[in-house]
């Protein structure tokens, strides 16, 4: 009985820890988005685009664009690997000569960033974190219940 209770308590702790890691990721994304609100939105023209192949049918889109005479390779796609079946659509969407919105830091501290609309919202890790925290709370309650004398599981197992 104590082994079951300890196992449930460990799982509750792991789910609780994972929930707080996800909350941290959500907070980080909110902070980045808030920082970028002060950026100027300007027109960017794609000067070159390529696909860097990776293992397991994955790759990374590399876009070079020009904003007010400044060239940059920073995009909000970052180094996120995409499936090879997305390659054609991405290369078409960011073809050479196409115009897109870019964010320019007024202080000049960071290079211009191409806005692609392909960034995951902070809501996703926040929602998953809430689900993990609920699971953690249920498991913690179950671990507490299993420690009570005369619980149902102890009666079923004859203890």
């Amino acid at each position: 009985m104590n082994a079951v209770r300890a196992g449930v308590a460990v799982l509750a702790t792991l789910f609780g820890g994972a929930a707080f890691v996800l909350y941290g990721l959500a907070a980080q994304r909110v902070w980045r988005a808030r920082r970028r609100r002060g950026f100027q939105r300007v027109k960017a023209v794609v000067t070159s685009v390529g696909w860097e192949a990776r293992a397991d049918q994955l790759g990374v889109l590399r876009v070079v664009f020009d904003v007010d005479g400044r060239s940059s390779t920073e995009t909000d796609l970052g180094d996120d690997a995409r499936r090879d079946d997305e390659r054609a659509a991405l290369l078409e969407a960011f073809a050479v000569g196409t115009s897109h919105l870019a964010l320019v830091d007024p202080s000049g501290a960071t290079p211009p960033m191409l806005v692609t609309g392909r960034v995951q919202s902070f809501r996703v890790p926040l929602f998953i974190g809430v689900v993990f925290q609920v699971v953690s709370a249920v498991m913690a309650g179950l671990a507490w219940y299993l420690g009570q004398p005369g619980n149902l599981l102890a009666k079923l197992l004859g203890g």
Side-chain angles (χ1 to χ4, degrees):
M1 179 58 72
N2 284 334
V4 173
R5 181 178 180 210
V8 171
V10 167
L11 284 174
T13 303
L14 290 175
F15 272 97
F20 284 105
V21 168
L22 289 167
Y23 292 152
L25 286 173
Q28 181 184 31
R29 288 188 180 156
V30 167
W31 179 78
R32 284 182 184 166
R34 184 169 290 153
R35 198 179 102 228
R36 290 180 183 162
R37 282 188 198 141
F39 286 14
Q40 298 169 348
R41 293 169 179 2
V42 296
K43 181 179 168 184
V45 178
V46 175
T47 57
S48 72
V49 64
W51 184 263
E52 179 183 317
R54 300 248 172 118
D56 298 330
Q57 300 295 319
L58 296 175
V60 175
L61 180 69
R62 298 290 183 202
V63 179
V64 178
F65 57 95
D66 185 55
V67 178
D68 296 333
R70 290 178 63 193
S71 183
S72 177
T73 58
E74 295 290 322
T75 70
D76 65 355
L77 290 173
D79 282 331
D80 292 342
R82 304 284 176 181
R83 293 185 314 273
D84 278 344
D85 58 356
E86 294 178 88
R87 177 181 180 173
L90 288 170
L91 291 175
E92 182 180 331
F94 298 101
V96 174
T98 58
S99 297
H100 300 277
L101 188 63
L103 298 176
V104 177
D105 186 359
S107 69
T110 59
M113 293 176 284
L114 190 64
V115 177
T116 62
R118 298 178 187 271
V119 175
Q120 190 180 64
S121 168
F122 73 94
R123 291 177 183 94
V124 174
L126 184 64
F127 175 75
I128 295 172
V130 168
V131 169
F132 276 24
Q133 191 167 16
V134 168
V135 169
S136 173
V138 168
M139 287 183 174
L142 179 62
W144 172 84
Y145 175 74
L146 292 175
Q148 301 303 310
N151 66 57
L152 182 59
L153 188 59
K155 290 178 185 177
L156 289 174
L157 295 177

